[in-house]
Amino acid sequence: VNSESSKSHANKEKHSQFNENTDLLEEIRKDVVRTHPDLQFFLEARENLGQRRYAAIERILFIWAKLNKGVRYVQGMNEIVGTMYFVLANDSNKEWASEAEADTYFLFNTLMVEMRDIFVPDLDDADTGIQGRMANMIALLSLHDPEVRCHLDDCGIDPAFYSIRWLTTILSREFFLPDTIRMWDSMFASTHKDNFMRYVCVTMVMMIREDLLKADFGKCLRLLQSYPPTNVDQLLESSRALWIYESQITLACHKGGISLPRALTAITPPPAVIMAYGLSGGIAPEKYHPTKDAPELQKSSIRNTVRDANMSMASTMATASKSLLGSARGFFGLSKGSGQNKSA
């Protein structure tokens, strides 16, 4: 009797597992077939290559979901994996290209270590969860372009209407594929990908600020959910400039003990800055220029504070670069004399 009961229980478990796997695979397949649907790479009929490539993406996502049950599969992961697989499968080295499926799984898993929390509902309100990251992004927008932030609020535009897709797909649905790949190059080189995404997303909003400020709810929503074509190099330069300028101002205020208005007039913003601290181009108005009539000793103090802030920023960036190089070498198993090793 016990033997029969054990067999019955085992059969039920197998049947339940089979149904669970079937449901998961169907959920993944439904999204995978919509991944880059106009890309010839996934439409190639020769030897059924297009469908075989979609099948590879399905396997990557299915296996990853089975091995990460705390996260499982969430819509948007297919966009990330599809883009990675396209790049790796088109490597000029045919031997490396033939390993695209395994390499894509490895890279995707590595990326998920940093961003998996945005796919876990129980962590939504944590700083690393989707709500937390949206809140951090909107706080940054409020700091640097409060006019646009208030206008979007007045129009009834909830940040979730656009930022959830931006963050969960790493902007892969907002740009043409070559532009996405260009942006990802910079993101993967960043030592803090969450920070990189926050500044890029805020800069995206500021780049279309003039159109947003003239628009109502419907037009604002269309602009943010169907982002207009843009120069990605300019976008990246502007987001980087904003981060550098904000870091310089913060260092001057906290380390130098000077006020924000004085720091804004003493430190020249990079030309690529669109908006900073509610100021166009980050440039303080002429009516407040404390360095013009300040005593010589005070002028010298401000100049020294700015110089120290710039030196500290340069040191921070140099340290980050060394750290990045070291991490990259360790990640790919490279050393000074290993030029023959595979690299990304």
Side-chain angles (χ1 to χ4, degrees), residues 173-303:
R173 292 178 62 185
E174 315 313 315
F175 305 109
F176 294 118
L177 185 58
D179 290 335
T180 298
I181 294 169
R182 166 66 187 92
M183 190 194 67
W184 282 18
D185 275 343
S186 293
M187 183 192 69
F188 285 127
S190 172
T191 54
H192 198 314
K193 295 175 181 58
D194 177 32
N195 207 41
F196 174 91
M197 284 296 297
R198 183 164 66 251
Y199 280 85
V200 167
C201 289
V202 167
T203 302
M204 285 173 63
V205 175
M206 293 193 296
M207 286 186 79
I208 58 173
R209 70 183 310 274
E210 298 304 326
D211 292 329
L212 289 172
L213 290 173
K214 294 183 292 186
D216 57 9
F217 173 85
K219 182 67 182 296
C220 284
L221 195 61
R222 284 194 295 274
L223 284 167
L224 293 166
Q225 290 189 340
S226 183
Y227 196 78
T230 191
N231 185 319
V232 171
D233 287 326
Q234 181 183 342
L235 167 63
L236 293 171
E237 178 59 27
S238 293
S239 65
R240 180 175 178 274
L242 179 63
W243 174 75
I244 290 174
Y245 186 51
E246 182 187 321
S247 300
Q248 289 175 326
I249 294 294
T250 302
L251 283 168
C253 292
H254 290 182
K255 283 195 169 185
I258 63 177
S259 66
L260 177 61
R262 181 164 288 130
L264 291 172
T265 55
I267 300 176
T268 303
V273 169
I274 300 171
M275 291 288 297
Y277 300 99
L279 303 170
S280 179
I283 301 171
E286 286 294 325
K287 64 181 181 180
Y288 186 84
H289 225 297
T291 57
K292 284 185 177 179
D293 302 314
E296 190 59 36
L297 184 61
Q298 193 176 26
K299 288 183 181 180
S300 176
S301 175
I302 293 174
R303 284 196 296 268

Side-chain angles (χ1 to χ4, degrees), residues 32-318:
V32 166
V33 296
R34 297 198 298 250
T35 304
H36 300 301
D38 300 324
L39 192 63
Q40 182 58 32
F41 179 76
F42 292 116
L43 298 175
E44 193 168 346
R46 179 174 58 89
E47 298 180 2
N48 204 28
L49 280 175
Q51 291 304 310
R52 287 162 59 190
R53 288 161 178 162
Y54 272 148
I57 297 175
E58 287 178 13
R59 288 192 294 270
I60 292 167
L61 290 168
F62 179 79
I63 294 171
W64 190 89
K66 294 298 292 182
L67 294 177
N68 295 270
K69 295 196 175 184
V71 184
R72 290 181 59 83
Y73 170 76
V74 178
Q75 188 179 38
M77 292 179 176
N78 59 299
E79 302 285 349
I80 298 172
V81 171
T83 303
M84 286 180 172
Y85 183 75
F86 170 80
V87 173
L88 294 170
N90 281 288
D91 197 297
S92 58
N93 186 310
K94 298 303 180 185
E95 182 182 353
W96 295 353
S98 67
E99 303 295 336
E101 185 173 344
D103 288 348
T104 300
Y105 180 90
F106 176 75
L107 290 177
F108 177 67
N109 186 61
T110 302
L111 180 62
M112 284 297 106
V113 170
E114 292 194 36
M115 64 176 294
R116 64 190 298 165
D117 289 1
I118 68 175
F119 297 110
V120 181
D122 290 343
L123 297 175
D124 277 356
D125 295 324
D127 278 346
T128 54
I130 188 63
Q131 295 294 337
R133 294 197 187 196
M134 279 196 300
N136 290 335
M137 186 191 101
I138 296 305
L140 187 65
L141 179 63
S142 299
L143 173 65
H144 292 301
D145 200 342
E147 184 181 10
V148 164
R149 163 67 198 279
C150 290
H151 177 71
L152 293 177
D153 284 349
D154 291 343
C155 288
I157 301 292
D158 190 304
F161 293 168
Y162 59 95
S163 58
I164 287 181
R165 190 176 81 177
W166 287 11
L167 294 171
T168 57
T169 66
I170 322 180
L171 297 171
S172 60
R173 292 178 62 185
E174 315 313 315
F175 305 109
F176 294 118
L177 185 58
D179 290 335
T180 298
I181 294 169
R182 166 66 187 92
M183 190 194 67
W184 282 18
D185 275 343
S186 293
M187 183 192 69
F188 285 127
S190 172
T191 54
H192 198 314
K193 295 175 181 58
D194 177 32
N195 207 41
F196 174 91
M197 284 296 297
R198 183 164 66 251
Y199 280 85
V200 167
C201 289
V202 167
T203 302
M204 285 173 63
V205 175
M206 293 193 296
M207 286 186 79
I208 58 173
R209 70 183 310 274
E210 298 304 326
D211 292 329
L212 289 172
L213 290 173
K214 294 183 292 186
D216 57 9
F217 173 85
K219 182 67 182 296
C220 284
L221 195 61
R222 284 194 295 274
L223 284 167
L224 293 166
Q225 290 189 340
S226 183
Y227 196 78
T230 191
N231 185 319
V232 171
D233 287 326
Q234 181 183 342
L235 167 63
L236 293 171
E237 178 59 27
S238 293
S239 65
R240 180 175 178 274
L242 179 63
W243 174 75
I244 290 174
Y245 186 51
E246 182 187 321
S247 300
Q248 289 175 326
I249 294 294
T250 302
L251 283 168
C253 292
H254 290 182
K255 283 195 169 185
I258 63 177
S259 66
L260 177 61
R262 181 164 288 130
L264 291 172
T265 55
I267 300 176
T268 303
V273 169
I274 300 171
M275 291 288 297
Y277 300 99
L279 303 170
S280 179
I283 301 171
E286 286 294 325
K287 64 181 181 180
Y288 186 84
H289 225 297
T291 57
K292 284 185 177 179
D293 302 314
E296 190 59 36
L297 184 61
Q298 193 176 26
K299 288 183 181 180
S300 176
S301 175
I302 293 174
R303 284 196 296 268
N304 289 338
T305 298
V306 174
R307 181 200 63 202
D308 292 343
N310 286 331
M311 289 177 64
S312 178
M313 175 57 60
S315 175
T316 300
M317 293 178 69

